[in-house]
């Protein structure tokens, strides 16, 4: 799942900093470092983070959860 988020983020030319900032604006307490850890599978995602990432990246849940 983290790798999917990284690929989707990179396809949209959004940096980890930008993604973290957009999540923070929407009320999610997350840092760039946490985004990096999510992308490499060292940190789990909370449901509210998944919802916001889906909205920010304009993707479907299937895109995030694709195996």
């Amino acid at each position: 799942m983290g790798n999917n988020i990284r690929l989707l983020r990179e396809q949209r030319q959004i940096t980890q900093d930008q993604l973290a900032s957009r999540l923070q604006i929407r009320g999610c307490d997350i840092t760039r470092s946490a985004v990096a850890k999510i992308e490499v599978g060292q940190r789990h995602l909370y449901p509210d983070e998944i919802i916001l990432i889906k909205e920010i990246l304009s993707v479907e849940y299937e895109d995030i959860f694709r195996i």
Side-chain angles (χ1 to χ4, degrees), residues 17-46:
D17 274 326
Q18 290 169 327
L19 180 56
S21 294
R22 293 178 190 188
L23 286 163
Q24 291 168 3
I25 289 169
R26 289 170 172 81
C28 188
D29 185 23
I30 194 166
T31 62
R32 189 224 40 93
S33 176
V35 170
K37 288 179 181 180
I38 288 167
E39 291 182 355
V40 297
Q42 293 179 349
R43 180 187 178 280
H44 69 279
L45 278 159
Y46 294 99

Side-chain angles (χ1 to χ4, degrees), residues 4-21:
N4 292 342
I5 291 171
R6 180 184 60 80
L7 292 172
L8 294 165
R9 176 184 59 73
E10 289 176 347
Q11 287 172 356
R12 283 146 186 82
Q13 297 181 330
I14 297 173
T15 66
Q16 290 176 343
D17 274 326
Q18 290 169 327
L19 180 56
S21 294

